[in-house]
Amino acid sequence: MTALSPEQYVQQQAAASGSSFYYAFLFLPPPRRAAITAFYAYCRAIDDVVDEVQDPSVAAAKLGWWEQQVQLAFSQGRADHPVLQALLPHAPIYGIEARHLLQVAQGCRMDLEQSRYLDYGNLQRYCHLVAGVVGEVAARIFGHTDPRTVEYAHRLGLALQLTNILRDVGDDARRGRIYLPIDELQRFDVKAHELLKREAPWGYSERFTALMRFQAERAHQNYDAALALLPEADRHAQKPGLMMANIYRTLLREIERDGFQVLHQRTSLTPLRKLWIALCTHWRGR
């Protein structure tokens, strides 16, 4: 069997993931699509270390290897892994720096070091690393002329991550993680063990639903704030981000319509529906 080129490898990783991001990439010109696909494959690889490696010490060592590889790639211009081989040529073109990749790894490392967040401020720090920085790099690749677009990208990244957290309450609890801030659990009188048990009658309650509504409203506020920040001059270039916003916000509304049944199931949109939302965004430009 012929070995895959780095470009083929990252394309395969992106297509196999089934991620909503993949549908937004389809509408980019080939050079930008190649860059964002390689960057996405890097983020996927880092995230998989935390989610799939059972032993935290082994996962930490793997993250350390990735961090070392990033530093070598950007200091010496060479890389051993096909993901970095595919990404490296695009870095100077789109202003991708080692610090961006290292911050993503730092955010994933937080998953190995803590499984609770005291308050929303602490959660925002985590979201900044695993989503805000990703949004910034994506915005650079999509193309922008106004520095305010970077602020928009960070806020959109936060909204997307808050949606992920809502969707994955049950999956995260299975791994022993609760991203919902502790002080907000206390405010709505929701106990951690109710979430960790992940089944009725312990998990679902009026208290839990009220907590989820509060989280959903915060996510909606961040979507609105992000869209308000996007300068008109960069709106066309940032269409892929708008596609992501529309896909994820549709997912958020599905979760709301289902009554926040997120402890025992993971709500998702079909590939056809994601593609349709992306197409509609492409046509409307918003």
Side-chain angles (χ1 to χ4, degrees):
M1 182 180 292
T2 306
L4 295 177
S5 68
E7 292 72 24
Q8 290 170 327
Y9 178 85
V10 296
Q11 174 63 30
Q12 185 182 74
Q13 295 300 303
S17 72
S19 169
S20 300
F21 288 87
Y22 178 69
Y23 298 91
F25 300 167
L26 295 174
F27 297 87
L28 285 167
R32 296 185 191 274
R33 185 165 69 241
I36 194 66
T37 300
F39 177 63
Y40 172 78
Y42 168 79
C43 295
R44 182 78 267 156
I46 295 296
D47 194 53
D48 285 348
V49 168
V50 174
D51 285 345
E52 296 180 3
V53 178
Q54 300 298 317
D55 187 329
S57 62
V58 174
K62 284 180 174 287
L63 281 179
W65 181 86
W66 274 105
E67 289 165 339
Q68 183 183 51
Q69 289 297 304
V70 167
Q71 290 167 335
L72 285 172
F74 279 82
S75 63
Q76 299 181 15
R78 63 176 181 84
D80 297 327
H81 197 283
V83 165
L84 291 175
Q85 290 170 357
L87 179 59
L88 202 55
H90 301 288
I93 299 172
Y94 300 111
I96 305 170
E97 302 173 19
R99 65 179 176 88
H100 294 128
L101 275 61
L102 293 173
Q103 284 178 316
V104 173
Q106 182 186 350
C108 288
R109 190 177 289 277
M110 288 178 70
D111 281 327
L112 302 178
E113 298 169 348
Q114 66 183 96
S115 59
R116 305 286 190 277
Y117 292 85
L118 182 62
D119 55 29
Y120 181 54
N122 283 312
L123 181 62
Q124 278 183 295
R125 170 61 179 163
Y126 170 76
C127 292
H128 164 73
L129 294 170
V130 301
V133 174
V134 172
E136 177 183 340
V137 173
R140 288 169 180 253
I141 293 172
F142 299 156
H144 70 91
T145 58
D146 191 317
R148 290 177 298 169
T149 298
V150 173
E151 187 180 353
Y152 142 82
H154 274 272
R155 183 59 71 93
L156 179 58
L158 175 59
L160 297 178
Q161 188 62 26
L162 292 175
T163 303
N164 276 337
I165 288 170
L166 264 172
R167 179 195 62 193
D168 295 339
V169 170
D171 277 355
D172 291 331
R174 180 168 48 81
R175 297 185 176 99
R177 300 179 195 155
I178 298 176
Y179 291 96
L180 305 174
I182 292 173
D183 65 339
E184 293 172 6
L185 291 177
Q186 293 172 341
R187 188 191 315 172
F188 289 91
D189 194 28
V190 174
K191 307 297 190 294
H193 75 82
E194 295 176 331
L195 303 183
L196 296 173
K197 195 174 177 78
R198 297 191 306 117
E199 60 185 43
W202 297 105
Y204 296 114
S205 64
E206 290 183 6
R207 295 174 287 110
F208 176 76
T209 301
L211 172 64
M212 291 296 98
R213 283 202 192 99
F214 179 79
Q215 305 298 322
E217 181 56 34
R218 171 185 286 153
H220 281 302
Q221 289 171 358
N222 277 282
Y223 283 114
D224 291 339
L227 296 175
L229 285 168
L230 179 58
E232 190 61 37
D234 287 340
R235 184 170 291 274
H236 179 77
Q238 295 297 318
K239 267 188 190 179
L242 297 175
M243 292 175 188
M244 289 306 309
N246 288 334
I247 290 172
Y248 267 71
R249 205 164 192 182
T250 300
L251 174 64
L252 178 58
R253 289 175 177 133
E254 284 284 306
I255 293 170
E256 290 175 303
R257 273 195 292 270
D258 287 346
F260 302 102
Q261 299 290 299
V262 293
L263 290 173
H264 71 290
Q265 65 184 16
R266 189 176 190 267
T267 302
S268 62
L269 305 180
T270 65
L272 185 59
R273 193 169 179 194
K274 292 175 186 176
L275 181 59
W276 177 249
I277 293 169
L279 278 168
C280 289
T281 307
H282 181 68
W283 293 329
R284 294 195 310 260
R286 58 182 175 82

